Amino acid sequence: MELRDLLLNLKIIMFGGKGGVGKTSCAASSAIWAAEHGRNTLIISTDPAHSLGDSLGVELPPGIPTPIEDIDNLTALEINPKANMEDFKSLTEINPLEDMGMGDMMGGMPLLGDLEDLTSMNPPGIDEALAFGKILEFIETEHDYDLVIFDTAPTGHTLRFLGLPETLSGWIGKLIKMRMRLGKMFGALKRMFTREEKKTDNSLEVLERLNQSIINAREDMTNPIKNSFVVVMIPEEMAILETGRLLNELIKYDIPVSNIIVNQLYQDTTELCDFCKSRREMQQKNLTKIQEIFREKLHKILIEVPLFKEEIREYEKLKEIGEYLIE
Ligand SMILES: Nc1ncnc2c1ncn2[C@@H]1O[C@H](COP(=O)(O)OP(=O)(O)O)[C@@H](O)[C@H]1O
Ligand SMILES: [Mg+2]
């Protein structure tokens, strides 16, 4: 499917590739196009070094979906890993003494054993992982957006995320089991001491819901009529190698890819300086390779985008790059 059809029909589109190749510019430009073609669009940046707001030329408060003024149907969001971690902590902390009104006595000491196990299970970057989990949960619950576009972080980082639904749901699954075990045990103890009826603790439910959304999101992400990953690259040898690896990983995770954007191409004009001429030659050699490998062998649709004289920023420029991407 051409990018245009993806933008008109899918539920999720993810833009990814090496740092600095033009992911944010292409994602933002595509989001504007989709919004202007009547799709209520949310664009989400998952790159911890956010630049979506800068690209759109607007202030985006962290973690808050912000409607873009002057563009109907477009909302942008830069995720805020820190805030999500705080939310999640309250769900994972199991503090039965506190529940029994004895928290002060033990200084709110957490449970040993299982709980220590759980902390040691926290992989590095769990805060970002959870932020992503929350996003997945969000896109799986009732909302008004027709299309969610992801402006992702540079390759390695994003790949970690794509494998995350499994990791996260395994992790949350363990948490759920643990909570159920401990919950029963301490519920009984507590009733013995306090003769109180079962207190409603909905954190288990919240975890279960989160887990189910992540599983659903995983299904959507692998379904070519719902999601497509658009690879952005530049015509350089290193980018070819990296794109090859990225495609392999996407296959491994079952993520559909149909379009590859080859960005920042020097145009053939007679007024090119010597420096630009040799860069153009280098690029053309690589472009031929890209066409052989990615178009002929792997049957991807290539979208060629020229290098602009100016920086690609804000509405007018994003619209201009959109003409090459889509029209
Ligand atoms: N085709 C292009 N022509 C000129 N400048 C470009 C082009 N594509 C991207 N840029 C510029 O390159 C820089 C990096 O682009 P960006 O979209 O932020 O990349 P990424 O999100 O992949 O890091 C930005 O300053 C952007 O304006
Ligand atoms: Mg970016």
Side-chain angles (χ1 to χ4, degrees), residues 26-182:
C26 294
S29 170
S30 301
I32 292 174
W33 190 89
E36 291 183 340
H37 285 74
R39 300 202 80 202
N40 192 7
T41 305
L42 172 68
I43 178 166
I44 302 176
S45 164
T46 62
D47 189 342
H50 293 297
S51 66
L52 181 59
D54 295 342
S55 176
L56 290 166
V58 295
E59 187 82 35
L60 295 177
I64 299 169
T66 308
I68 305 304
E69 230 177 285
D70 303 331
I71 308 176
D72 286 344
N73 293 327
L74 184 61
T75 305
L77 167 66
E78 292 181 343
I79 65 171
N80 177 11
K82 301 259 154 31
N84 285 299
M85 196 61 192
E86 286 307 307
D87 282 357
F88 199 79
K89 265 193 190 144
S90 64
L91 293 177
T92 58
E93 265 164 16
I94 304 169
N95 203 336
L97 293 171
E98 189 104 305
D99 288 349
M100 289 192 283
M102 294 195 275
D104 288 347
M105 275 162 52
M106 306 290 285
M109 193 179 77
L111 272 175
L112 301 176
D114 278 343
L115 209 54
E116 267 176 7
D117 189 35
L118 194 64
T119 348
S120 63
M121 262 158 44
N122 282 12
I126 186 67
D127 50 349
E128 281 169 36
L130 288 170
F132 188 59
K134 293 283 273 193
I135 294 294
L136 295 181
E137 178 178 33
F138 169 76
I139 62 177
E140 286 308 316
T141 42
E142 204 71 24
H143 59 69
D144 290 334
Y145 300 109
D146 305 315
L147 171 66
V148 180
I149 291 185
F150 283 91
D151 168 23
T152 71
T155 318
H157 206 268
T158 298
L159 289 175
R160 258 196 13 232
F161 276 166
L162 295 179
L164 251 167
E166 278 94 358
T167 316
L168 262 179
S169 84
W171 193 73
I172 294 170
K174 279 186 193 161
L175 255 176
I176 290 174
K177 274 201 203 113
M178 211 171 288
R179 285 218 64 136
M180 280 171 73
R181 269 219 308 279
L182 296 172

Side-chain angles (χ1 to χ4, degrees), residues 40-326:
N40 192 7
T41 305
L42 172 68
I43 178 166
I44 302 176
S45 164
T46 62
D47 189 342
H50 293 297
S51 66
L52 181 59
D54 295 342
S55 176
L56 290 166
V58 295
E59 187 82 35
L60 295 177
I64 299 169
T66 308
I68 305 304
E69 230 177 285
D70 303 331
I71 308 176
D72 286 344
N73 293 327
L74 184 61
T75 305
L77 167 66
E78 292 181 343
I79 65 171
N80 177 11
K82 301 259 154 31
N84 285 299
M85 196 61 192
E86 286 307 307
D87 282 357
F88 199 79
K89 265 193 190 144
S90 64
L91 293 177
T92 58
E93 265 164 16
I94 304 169
N95 203 336
L97 293 171
E98 189 104 305
D99 288 349
M100 289 192 283
M102 294 195 275
D104 288 347
M105 275 162 52
M106 306 290 285
M109 193 179 77
L111 272 175
L112 301 176
D114 278 343
L115 209 54
E116 267 176 7
D117 189 35
L118 194 64
T119 348
S120 63
M121 262 158 44
N122 282 12
I126 186 67
D127 50 349
E128 281 169 36
L130 288 170
F132 188 59
K134 293 283 273 193
I135 294 294
L136 295 181
E137 178 178 33
F138 169 76
I139 62 177
E140 286 308 316
T141 42
E142 204 71 24
H143 59 69
D144 290 334
Y145 300 109
D146 305 315
L147 171 66
V148 180
I149 291 185
F150 283 91
D151 168 23
T152 71
T155 318
H157 206 268
T158 298
L159 289 175
R160 258 196 13 232
F161 276 166
L162 295 179
L164 251 167
E166 278 94 358
T167 316
L168 262 179
S169 84
W171 193 73
I172 294 170
K174 279 186 193 161
L175 255 176
I176 290 174
K177 274 201 203 113
M178 211 171 288
R179 285 218 64 136
M180 280 171 73
R181 269 219 308 279
L182 296 172
K184 270 192 205 124
M185 191 165 115
F186 285 99
L189 251 180
K190 184 182 172 183
R191 282 192 297 281
M192 249 167 66
F193 280 113
T194 62
R195 290 190 203 158
E196 210 182 75
E197 278 312 297
K198 250 189 190 161
K199 191 179 97 192
T200 44
D201 170 9
N202 73 343
S203 50
L204 195 59
E205 254 168 64
V206 175
L207 284 175
E208 269 164 355
R209 229 176 14 241
L210 177 61
N211 199 28
Q212 193 53 51
S213 312
I214 289 170
I215 293 168
N216 295 345
R218 169 80 204 151
E219 265 170 36
D220 282 355
M221 278 160 62
T222 56
N223 183 345
I225 62 166
K226 293 199 172 154
N227 177 37
S228 189
F229 194 104
V230 176
V231 177
V232 187
M233 70 181 298
I234 49 174
E236 290 183 12
E237 187 90 43
M238 262 173 79
I240 297 177
L241 296 172
E242 180 151 346
T243 300
R245 281 196 296 270
L246 174 59
L247 289 176
N248 279 335
E249 292 289 308
L250 291 168
I251 290 171
K252 192 171 104 193
Y253 292 121
D254 262 332
I255 311 274
V257 183
S258 51
N259 286 259
I260 298 179
I261 298 170
V262 188
N263 191 19
Q264 303 184 13
L265 280 160
Y266 278 84
Q267 292 312 92
D268 187 16
T269 60
T270 40
E271 71 240 39
L272 282 183
C273 66
D274 286 348
F275 174 85
C276 298
K277 264 187 202 135
S278 49
R279 281 200 67 84
R280 182 177 147 83
E281 267 170 41
M282 175 276 288
Q283 287 194 339
Q284 290 299 311
K285 258 202 327 242
N286 287 315
L287 182 61
T288 307
K289 258 194 222 165
I290 291 170
Q291 288 162 343
E292 278 168 19
I293 303 173
F294 300 119
R295 184 195 287 153
E296 267 95 70
K297 277 208 194 116
L298 300 175
H299 310 293
K300 305 297 176 201
I301 298 168
L302 296 186
I303 304 171
E304 296 175 17
V305 178
L307 177 68
F308 283 58
K309 280 207 281 289
E310 316 82 2
E311 210 182 332
I312 309 295
R313 259 201 83 199
E314 303 191 350
Y315 186 79
E316 293 302 327
K317 284 285 152 208
L318 290 171
K319 288 282 286 186
E320 214 176 308
I321 200 173
E323 282 168 28
Y324 292 92
L325 287 173
I326 304 145

